[in-house]
Amino acid sequence: MRADARRNYDRILVAAGAAIAQHGAEASLEEIARHAGVGSATLHRHFPSRQALLEAVFRDRVETLCAKASELAADLDPGPALFTWLRAVGTHAASNRGLAASLMHGAYDGDPTLGATCHTMIVKAGGELLEHARQAHTIRPDVAIIDLLKLVSAISLATEQELGGAAEADRLLALAIDGVRPHEVPHAHSEQ
């Protein structure tokens, strides 16, 4: 892709991401093109359908989320790296506002492997963080990455329509994280 075409592609992705976060998956393609500073024809040259644009936004967000896992693993201790990443997963889920559901409904004319590929990428990235946290004894040994992702997803779903939903999601995630940390078992004192 030529440099100017790549810049247009990237600007469209950024504008589409912002529009989806604000208006959901049905965001106006004309508004996206306008915010990207390109014409409608340029948008459609890069993304021939709404489905293609939604898939590109979703894939880009997942790649960013997985890259964040690597950055956190390099910059933080294992427990904080995992827990910070789980908060990022929650933010990712909240910013998708109907994107995943829209992709599922339109899967027949899109990439049928997108969901599975993105799920595998997230599970792999989170699984590596979880393993480091497990080795550092900062998480209970019986916790699986799928457990954590389900918790984050459920919290995001439960709070997405609430006023102040992001703060509530963060509070609930903090409670869930506290629940998966190892807890000391009180020693039974025997009387003699």
Side-chain angles (χ1 to χ4, degrees):
M1 193 180 290
R2 291 186 342 239
D4 60 332
R6 184 68 202 181
R7 276 192 303 275
N8 285 341
Y9 180 92
D10 291 341
R11 288 197 327 243
I12 293 167
L13 270 185
V14 169
I20 290 166
Q22 186 173 7
H23 303 291
E26 294 304 315
S28 163
L29 295 180
E30 291 75 27
E31 284 294 310
I32 292 169
R34 190 174 64 74
H35 285 292
V38 301
S40 188
T42 299
L43 183 142
H44 289 290
R45 193 168 35 258
H46 287 288
F47 305 101
S49 68
R50 174 180 296 277
Q51 182 77 17
L53 178 58
L54 295 177
E55 287 178 1
V57 168
F58 191 73
R59 186 183 314 274
D60 183 63
R61 286 181 175 178
V62 168
E63 288 170 355
T64 299
L65 187 63
C66 292
K68 181 155 185 83
S70 295
E71 292 167 16
L72 290 169
D75 295 343
L76 297 175
D77 288 335
L82 174 63
F83 301 137
T84 300
W85 185 76
L86 289 173
R87 283 192 166 90
V89 171
T91 300
H92 164 83
S95 70
N96 283 334
R97 292 204 48 208
L99 182 57
S102 181
L103 288 171
M104 293 295 285
H105 296 312
Y108 55 88
D109 66 350
D111 179 356
T113 65
L114 179 68
T117 300
C118 289
H119 178 76
T120 299
M121 290 168 59
I122 290 170
V123 168
K124 182 179 184 295
E128 290 171 4
L129 288 173
L130 175 63
E131 187 52 37
H132 293 284
R134 197 176 277 133
Q135 290 170 3
H137 305 289
T138 57
I139 193 158
R140 292 177 16 195
D142 62 328
V143 174
I145 191 60
I146 294 299
D147 300 332
L148 298 174
L149 293 173
K150 284 179 182 177
L151 283 170
V152 171
S153 179
I155 289 168
S156 294
L157 207 66
T159 59
E160 73 180 358
Q161 300 299 324
E162 291 183 21
L163 189 61
E168 179 65 2
D170 198 49
R171 186 185 75 77
L172 292 171
L173 185 56
L175 288 172
I177 287 170
D178 189 49
V180 297
R181 291 182 199 271
H183 296 284
E184 288 192 31
V185 178
H187 296 291
H189 296 290
S190 58
E191 292 185 17
Q192 295 182 353

